[in-house]
Each structure stands twice: as structure tokens, then as C-alpha cells.
Amino acid sequence: MPNPVLFTPHRVAGLELANRIVIAPMCQYSAQNGCMTDWHLIHLGQLALSGAGLLTIEATAVSPEGRITYADVGLYDDATEAAMARTLEGIRRYSDIPIAIQLAHAGRKASTEKPWLGGKQIAPGQENGWQTEAPSAVPFVAEYVPPSALDPEGLIRIRDDFVASAKRAANIGIDAVQLHAAHGYLLHQFLSPLSNQRKDEYGGSLENRMRFPLEVFDAVRSAFPAGGPVSMRVSATDWVEGGLAVSDVVAFAKELEARGCDAIHVSSGGLDAKQSIPVGPNYQVPLARAIKNAVNIPVVAVGLITEPAQAEAIVATGDADLVAIARAALYDPRWPWHAAAALGGQVWAPSQYLRSQPSQYKNLFRT
Ligand SMILES: Cc1cc2nc3c(=O)[nH]c(=O)nc-3n(C[C@H](O)[C@H](O)[C@H](O)COP(=O)(O)O)c2cc1C
């Protein structure tokens, strides 16, 4: 296939991506007191050689209480900033891949055990546990200790935490910020009527439920350097009757676009344990298409996109501008190389690896 769209460049605000492949954010639960460790240098280092157009750093907490687990990465003080700067310095020495960071607060889904140790809530007062905060005192599952409902001062504190983290990200040379409003974490908890039962101006109507995520967006947008993309990751549906629906998220995306948001990354689910998700290849692509039809900013599709021809079809038909891969990139960190070989595209490779180019793929590598 000559000139695959997947390997054409794409501009997101002031950032030029070499191709349409994004490495999605993936928590590693391998930090110490919020600080990145050598694991992150190995993990992000290998993905920085993947040839993707953009590498997204995992959900990074804007405060210690915003972490999903005690082993999450944070960017909330000088120590966490220094640890991330050290990781980035190592990566930047050998790769100029654009790097985004996903800034997050887990809200009522914070204070849990690492997934491979069961992932359940750790109650406040127990080792590695703390009291969670959320729009309303409604727990994620009935047996969990309920979160505290945030008061107006709490909202300002968390908004300012997002801003401070975004400034730290800019300080250490991160190219783009993605705000996490998906998968049932704090900003999504405000959007969904299932988790947001507030009676003030932050709850009730869709306009009210969007208010806090939009305030956070506005504040981060004005704090992050002009031209540096600020995007939003959304869950386009809760997959639960009475929950957030795609029409709500289309309205949210339009409002974000009007306020200067640079891209929308379309995922789904994660808010309610009753969700029923029709998982399969491309299962979230129709959601990306629905948002793409409503906005003019770049839209990213994600979710079981594992084959080069599948990814090419998504961008070539215009269902989305970019595709993100997560598990496929862990399984095969050079997925973009293999996709370029399969489709007839070109990818960047480091000089040290140029001799690996298989003889049947002429001009696969761009140095
Ligand atoms: C190990 C792992 C960690 C993840 N961590 C995050 C995260 O930090 N933030 C996020 O928004 N999604 C996270 N996700 C979801 C992925 O970004 C992605 O949306 C999901 O895995 C579906 O894409 P895939 O089918 O290509 O894996 C994670 C997924 C995996 C497998």
C-alpha cells in the first residue's frame, strides 16, 4: 500500500507528530512516593524508540491523594519533578519523540492496591491507604469506604493542583498535557450523573456537571505554554443505563473546542461496576467518529486497535485523526516499525539499530 495515511505527519496545535500513532498512557504502579524509578526509564525508554508519533506518560497524579495506588507516579512536589526530569533526560539523550503527560486525579477510585495484588480499595487508616475525595459521597462499589464530598475550597485546591503540575511539566520540557476525564476518575466523576449527585452549581444539569472539568481545563490551558497542546481524554459513554451518554460527551467536546482544547482522546467506561461493554476490535471507534463529526480539532481513537491495516483504515476513512495503542505497544514495543513495514511507511530508528532493517523493506528507516 503506497503512502499510508498512518505514516503521514499530523499537527496538533504547535506540535508536529511524525505519524498518526500515539502510545496511550499506561500506569506502571512502579513509583516510590510518587517518584519515577529506573523502571520508568526502561519502560518509557523502550517506547521512545518505537517510532510512534507521540508517547504519553502514564496517569500522573496532581496530588498524593489523587493517586490510584501508593505506587502511582506524581508530579506534585520538587522530588517528583526531579525524578521525572531525570527519566526524561535519559530518554531525550537518545530520542526526540514528542512526549505528552496525562495529568490525573483518581477521586473516589484512589487509595487502592496495585492491580496485580488485587486492586481493591485500601481503607483510610490502613497502611498505604487514605480518605478519598469526590464530587459526592458515593463509593465506587458499595463495600468501599465512601469518598468525602468536595467543598468549594477543595475544588479550588484540586484545580490549582492541576495547574501546578502542568507548570512543572512545562518546566521539565514535556511537550503536551492530556487531562484525564475518562475511566471513572475525578473529572469523569463530575461529568457522570451516576457519581455526581451535587445540589450546587457543579451538579444536576449537564452544564453544571461539566463546570468543574471545564474550569480545570481553562486554568491548565492558561498555565501551559501557548502552542503546547492541552487535550482531554474522555469516556464517551458509561455503558450504563442512566449514565453519561455519547451526546453528553459530544456537547463537552464542543465546549472544550470553543475554549481552545487541542485534541480529544476518546475512550469509554470505568465509572460504574455495572457497565456492560461490547469489547472487540474497534469497539470505541464509533464513539470517536461521533465526536469527530462534531468538532474540528484532532480526535484520537483507542481500544483494541492491534493490526496495521485496521489502524490505517481508521485514519484513512476519517473515523479519527490519530490512533492510540496501549497493550499492543507493551506486547510489541516496536509496533510502529512493524506497521510501517506492513503498510509501506517510514519510521524513525536510532542509528544504533539501523542495521536491523530487513532487506525486503527498503527505506523503512528514517534517521
Ligand atoms: C497496563 C495498563 C495501564 C493503563 N493505564 C492507563 C492510564 O494511566 N491512563 C489511561 O487513561 N488509561 C490507561 N490504560 C488504558 C489504555 O490507555 C487504553 O485506553 C486501553 O488499554 C485500551 O487500549 P488497547 O486496547 O490498545 O490496550 C491502561 C491500560 C493498560 C493495559
Side-chain angles (χ1 to χ4, degrees), residues 96-260:
D96 63 0
I97 188 169
I99 298 179
I101 187 168
Q102 186 185 52
L103 295 181
H105 190 298
R108 69 179 186 174
K109 286 178 78 176
S111 186
T112 64
E113 187 46 275
K114 296 178 190 179
W116 56 82
L117 296 177
K120 292 215 171 359
Q121 185 188 58
I122 303 177
Q126 291 188 344
E127 193 185 354
N128 294 324
W130 60 90
Q131 176 60 47
T132 61
E133 301 179 299
S136 305
V138 181
F140 176 58
V141 285
E143 59 268 29
Y144 283 5
V145 174
S148 313
L150 283 157
D151 61 15
E153 292 72 39
L155 295 184
I156 292 169
R157 166 172 47 83
I158 290 177
R159 183 201 64 196
D160 292 350
D161 286 342
F162 271 96
V163 168
S165 295
K167 286 182 177 164
R168 288 184 187 276
N171 207 23
I172 57 177
I174 288 176
D175 301 296
V177 163
Q178 176 182 86
L179 298 175
H180 198 354
H183 304 166
Y185 298 112
L186 185 74
L187 300 183
H188 184 181
Q189 290 161 27
F190 272 89
L191 292 170
S192 175
L194 300 174
S195 44
N196 182 346
Q197 296 174 8
R198 297 176 73 95
K199 301 280 178 267
D200 63 4
E201 70 269 35
Y202 292 97
S205 65
L206 176 63
E207 189 188 352
N208 281 357
R209 285 181 277 119
M210 293 194 308
R211 194 179 307 280
F212 184 62
L214 290 172
E215 284 178 2
V216 170
F217 173 79
D218 287 344
V220 168
R221 176 62 284 176
S222 39
F224 200 66
V230 177
S231 67
M232 188 73 76
R233 195 173 212 205
V234 294
S235 275
T237 169
D238 286 340
W239 300 113
V240 178
E241 191 73 32
L244 198 65
V246 66
S247 56
D248 301 328
V249 182
V250 163
F252 182 50
K254 284 168 126 170
E255 193 56 42
L256 284 164
E257 180 179 35
R259 290 160 183 253

Side-chain angles (χ1 to χ4, degrees), residues 24-27 58-59 102 180 183 233 267 302-304 324-327 330:
M26 283 179 278
C27 280
E58 66 190 81
Q102 186 185 52
H180 198 354
H183 304 166
R233 195 173 212 205
S267 188
V302 68
L304 284 178
I325 56 169
R327 289 164 291 184
L330 297 186

